[in-house]
Amino acid sequence: MKKFKKFYIETTSICNLACSFCPPTKRQANFIKLEDFQKTLDQIKPHTDYIYFHVKGEPLLHPKIGEMLDMAHEKGFKVNITTNGTLINKNRDKLLNKPALRQMNFSLHSFDGHEGSTDRDGYISSVLGFVKEAVAQSNLIVSLRLWNLSEDNLTNLQKNRNRETLEYIEREFNLDFKIMEKVTPGSGVKIADRIYLNQDYEFKWPDLKEEEDHSPGFCHGLRNQAGVLVDGTVIPCCLDGEGVINLGNIHQKPFSEIIEGERANNLYEGFSKREVKEELCRKCGYRKRFDLAPGEVGALSS
């Protein structure tokens, strides 16, 4: 039976922001119903211990997020949430002291990515206020993310786009060092106990409109991760935000059967041989991070 280190459950396809780095979904706006969430947990329980409340959409928009955390805890899951953080004050009581909640990732780059953003200090203050309270009361891990760097203009972006945010964090935690001098793209720096700042290059979603890359490749999709969109569509990884690689629907067929289906097996076995079977995967730049030698692929697939 396949086991996944990460499993993505899209709780809503709706977002309250319109960030330049995140193309809006063309799918129907929707929130997962609690009964469907329960059924999803039951189906994936044999396959994972860690679930993520997103693919597209803003998880804190879901009015029943507290109940979903409780349901996840009852089933023995640990939950990771990635959020833009703008709704953290409204959801404070739904998140604090929830035993299922393992980690929260705050996409601070959303502030500059959303054209209508105002009051940077107020935004960061609300996020850090929650972070400090939550970490003090629980074992929560926090990642403060600034994924907005540009490879061709890295210095300017660090200085101009993120300087105010980083300086605010430095003051708030009384740091005796400059974050910018310690952190490098793709890595993080420890801010406080269980609180980290991560910077990386701006993320680009794979798109069928992009040029195909027919070179050999490898990916962890269906190897250490899988996901289910809000309508029940099973996808191989969190980057298939439109459900292009539709492996089946858990409302029509059990998840355990879907991931052993022909399309799923072709994708999995293809990557074992460094063969990129799906068109979307051939148009995904992220898989190039996993370029491995043939021997390494064999080791991973065993």
Side-chain angles (χ1 to χ4, degrees), residues 12-298:
T12 178
S13 56
I14 305 168
C15 190
N16 62 319
L17 300 184
C19 295
S20 58
F21 54 80
C22 188
T25 179
K26 301 180 181 70
R27 295 178 287 117
Q28 181 179 354
N30 207 351
F31 290 96
I32 195 170
K33 296 180 176 64
L34 288 185
E35 55 265 34
D36 289 337
F37 181 73
Q38 181 72 61
K39 292 175 183 176
T40 301
L41 294 183
D42 290 339
Q43 290 200 38
I44 69 172
K45 180 56 185 171
H47 300 278
T48 191
D49 297 315
Y50 297 95
I51 55 178
Y52 292 67
F53 278 9
H54 72 279
V55 176
K56 285 292 188 75
E58 167 52 52
L60 300 192
L61 272 175
H62 201 296
K64 303 292 186 182
I65 190 167
E67 288 95 323
M68 290 191 293
L69 284 169
D70 291 338
M71 293 164 69
H73 177 62
E74 290 172 5
K75 294 289 183 181
F77 290 103
K78 289 297 182 182
V79 178
N80 300 270
I81 293 177
T82 296
T83 172
N84 58 45
T86 58
L87 303 173
I88 196 64
N89 286 340
K90 294 181 179 179
N91 288 277
R92 173 185 168 279
D93 294 337
K94 297 179 181 179
L95 299 170
L96 288 175
N97 296 312
K98 291 294 186 181
L101 191 54
R102 172 187 174 271
Q103 179 169 331
M104 289 194 70
N105 307 312
F106 290 90
S107 299
L108 300 184
H109 48 279
S110 299
F111 184 89
D112 289 306
H114 178 68
E115 188 175 343
S117 295
T118 58
D119 188 15
R120 184 189 302 269
D121 285 0
Y123 165 66
I124 302 173
S125 175
S126 64
V127 170
L128 297 187
F130 170 84
V131 166
K132 287 183 174 181
E133 184 176 6
V135 169
Q137 296 180 8
S138 69
N139 294 318
L140 182 70
I141 301 167
V142 172
S143 171
L144 304 172
R145 294 178 172 177
L146 283 169
W147 289 5
N148 58 0
L149 303 181
S150 171
E151 294 191 47
D152 59 356
N153 198 18
L154 179 58
T155 303
N156 281 341
L157 278 169
Q158 282 182 320
K159 289 183 176 179
N160 301 326
R161 186 183 267 183
N162 295 335
R163 182 189 297 277
E164 293 178 44
T165 298
L166 294 176
E167 288 179 347
Y168 193 103
I169 294 171
E170 289 162 1
R171 292 193 303 270
E172 193 71 17
F173 287 94
N174 297 314
L175 299 183
D176 59 0
F177 61 88
K178 294 291 184 182
I179 298 173
M180 195 179 295
E181 296 174 358
K182 293 230 176 191
V183 71
T184 56
S187 66
V189 60
K190 187 174 182 178
I191 301 299
D193 185 33
R194 288 177 281 116
I195 303 174
Y196 302 87
L197 188 287
N198 297 89
Q199 284 193 305
D200 209 337
Y201 298 111
E202 183 171 306
F203 177 77
K204 187 175 182 180
W205 289 84
D207 193 316
L208 289 177
K209 295 178 182 177
E210 295 294 323
E211 185 177 346
E212 276 194 56
D213 179 357
H214 291 277
S215 62
F218 178 81
C219 181
H220 293 286
L222 287 186
R223 195 166 247 99
N224 72 3
Q225 66 168 284
V228 176
L229 298 179
V230 69
D231 66 353
T233 299
V234 176
I235 54 176
C237 76
C238 63
L239 304 188
D240 188 3
E242 293 302 296
V244 173
I245 307 175
N246 183 342
L247 301 176
N249 193 293
I250 59 172
H251 301 312
Q252 301 165 2
K253 192 174 184 179
F255 175 78
S256 295
E257 293 183 21
I258 291 174
I259 58 169
E260 295 297 343
E262 181 179 2
R263 190 172 188 180
N265 281 329
N266 284 342
L267 183 148
Y268 183 97
E269 292 168 5
F271 279 128
S272 296
K273 303 172 185 175
R274 290 177 59 85
E275 297 174 359
V276 187
K277 297 292 188 178
E278 291 284 346
E279 180 184 0
L280 187 69
C281 301
R282 293 194 293 271
K283 297 180 176 182
C284 176
Y286 202 81
R287 70 172 172 84
K288 294 179 181 178
R289 298 190 180 198
F290 310 119
D291 255 348
L292 304 172
E296 294 177 280
V297 175

